[in-house]
Amino acid sequence: MFCQHRNRSKMQQQQLSQQQDFDPVHRFKMLIPQLKESLQNLMKIASMNLSYNTSIDNGIKSSDTSVQRFDKSLEEFYALCDQLELCLRLAYECLSQSIDSAKHSPNLVPTATKPDTVQTESMSYAQYLTMIKSQISCAKDIHNALLECSKKIAGKGPPQGMM
């Protein structure tokens, strides 16, 4: 019994972890500490390299000692910045999609499983069906217009003498 509960708990944690991996905001929050660490490392290496180069220029040290590569740490920092940018773009797209969804289907349809949570702004099932039928009709009109345009384009091939 205890083993089954523990396995179920592990599975739930794994599912939650997988869901959070796909959440761009959660991923962004997870990358921020890595970005801070990378920036600190980048500044430390830059400082060390600057100090090392200054001492060589002043003739104090020879070029025997090795220094960390600045370009590698800069590349790591830029890679994290790129990942953060992608997370923000994805979050923005998700938000835009959510706003568009709310705009084109603003009212909720009450479900049979939760009849007590019917809200005043929810629509009836008949209203929902009417809205869906109009959306399907609009999608069919767009599809037919695109088919017609593609047929016109396909019919207008290059002139026979030009081949």
Side-chain angles (χ1 to χ4, degrees):
M1 179 76 174
F2 177 72
C3 188
Q4 288 177 343
H5 178 68
R6 189 174 49 170
N7 287 339
R8 192 175 325 126
S9 178
K10 272 188 176 180
M11 290 176 61
Q12 289 172 347
Q13 287 175 350
Q14 287 174 346
Q15 288 173 347
L16 180 62
S17 175
Q18 288 173 350
Q19 288 172 352
Q20 289 175 345
D21 287 344
F22 293 117
D23 181 17
V25 175
H26 179 71
R27 178 121 173 89
F28 180 84
K29 288 178 182 178
M30 298 291 287
L31 287 172
I32 289 295
Q34 292 177 22
L35 183 70
K36 287 180 180 178
E37 183 181 323
S38 178
L39 181 59
Q40 288 174 346
N41 187 40
L42 180 67
M43 291 297 128
K44 183 178 92 176
I45 291 173
S47 172
M48 289 170 39
N49 285 350
L50 182 63
S51 175
Y52 177 76
N53 289 338
T54 302
S55 64
I56 288 177
D57 289 345
N58 292 334
I60 298 170
K61 287 186 179 177
S62 65
S63 60
D64 296 348
T65 59
S66 65
V67 291
Q68 290 183 322
R69 300 229 0 220
F70 178 76
D71 59 339
K72 294 289 184 185
S73 59
L74 185 63
E75 188 177 322
E76 177 188 330
F77 177 75
Y78 279 143
L80 284 169
C81 287
D82 290 343
Q83 288 180 31
L84 287 169
E85 181 184 6
L86 289 174
C87 287
L88 290 175
R89 286 179 190 254
L90 181 59
Y92 178 77
E93 287 297 320
C94 289
L95 178 64
S96 297
Q97 190 176 33
S98 177
I99 290 170
D100 288 344
S101 176
K103 183 171 68 175
H104 296 294
S105 180
N107 300 326
L108 303 173
V109 177
T111 60
T113 57
K114 298 179 182 175
D116 57 330
T117 60
V118 175
Q119 299 171 350
T120 57
E121 70 268 2
S122 64
M123 63 173 61
S124 69
Y125 188 70
Q127 291 171 323
Y128 176 74
L129 284 178
T130 303
M131 181 185 67
I132 295 300
K133 286 178 183 176
S134 70
Q135 289 176 346
I136 290 172
S137 173
C138 182
K140 283 182 181 178
D141 291 344
I142 292 170
H143 179 264
N144 291 337
L146 289 172
L147 276 176
E148 187 177 318
C149 286
S150 68
K151 287 178 183 177
K152 286 181 181 178
I153 291 172
K156 290 184 181 179
Q160 295 294 335
M162 298 300 282
M163 289 184 181

